[in-house]
Amino acid sequence: MKAEYINPFLESARIVIEQVANIRPTTGQLGVKDVKFVEKYIWIQIGMTGQMEGDVVFGLAEDVALKMVSAMMGGFIVTEMDEMGKSAISELGNMISGNASTMLFNQGVRVDITPPKIVQSATAAGFIPKKALTIPLIMDGIGELDIQVLIT
């Protein structure tokens, strides 16, 4: 697993979050950890095929996801993760991954991304725990967005 795989996702997430939520996130500590789907968390899973195979998973605590959706909706307070909220958070993952795949293409790496899949329950994930390259983005007043890259 190469650290440079996460850089386009990190850069893209910074740009997209600044555009849609008007917040400039800061970067946490890069690390490798076991991916575990925990409850009270929302996961946006995006598959990758082509020269990079695997998944990119964005994780947010439910309260952070609600604040992010509120920010994306111009400050409208969102109190539950309904279909509109799920659609918004899903689109956030799609925008970040789409941007990152363009950055990768510009670096000579051809990838295709799958549509985002929202996972709200560890048991519903059907996901086999494995190691991921991970880095948190810290968003003032909102919380953290974990970016986890599981590329083979």
Side-chain angles (χ1 to χ4, degrees):
M1 197 173 337
K2 297 180 183 174
E4 61 264 21
Y5 287 163
I6 204 166
N7 290 335
F9 295 95
L10 181 60
E11 185 59 28
S12 177
R14 277 198 202 115
I15 292 166
V16 169
I17 290 168
E18 194 166 346
Q19 288 172 343
V20 301
N22 206 24
I23 294 166
R24 183 179 294 241
T26 57
T27 306
Q29 191 66 37
L30 177 68
V32 175
K33 69 178 181 182
D34 289 323
V35 174
K36 293 181 189 141
F37 284 93
V38 292
E39 302 302 327
K40 300 257 185 230
Y41 234 71
I42 294 182
W43 304 92
I44 310 158
Q45 182 180 358
I46 305 207
M48 301 190 68
T49 59
Q51 289 179 272
M52 287 172 56
E53 298 276 331
D55 292 295
V56 176
V57 182
F58 303 101
L60 307 99
E62 280 185 18
D63 62 323
V64 174
L66 291 171
K67 289 178 191 172
M68 176 57 87
V69 170
S70 293
M72 291 172 71
M73 294 184 174
F76 178 80
I77 303 299
V78 178
T79 57
E80 67 173 305
M81 193 52 74
D82 58 11
E83 289 307 310
M84 180 66 87
K86 288 178 189 173
S87 177
I89 211 74
S90 179
E91 185 55 27
L92 177 70
N94 199 39
M95 291 167 67
I96 293 169
S97 299
N99 252 9
S101 67
T102 300
M103 290 175 182
L104 287 163
F105 179 82
N106 291 337
Q107 295 171 12
V109 179
R110 295 185 186 278
V111 295
D112 288 315
I113 60 171
T114 65
K117 178 174 143 187
I118 297 288
V119 180
Q120 282 187 275
S121 157
T123 53
F127 198 80
I128 300 159
K130 46 184 153 179
K131 294 221 179 284
L133 198 54
T134 184
I135 192 160
L137 273 183
I138 299 124
M139 302 170 288
D140 277 345
I142 292 183
E144 288 187 12
L145 167 73
D146 287 326
I147 303 172
Q148 302 179 4
V149 179
L150 301 97
I151 302 296
T152 55

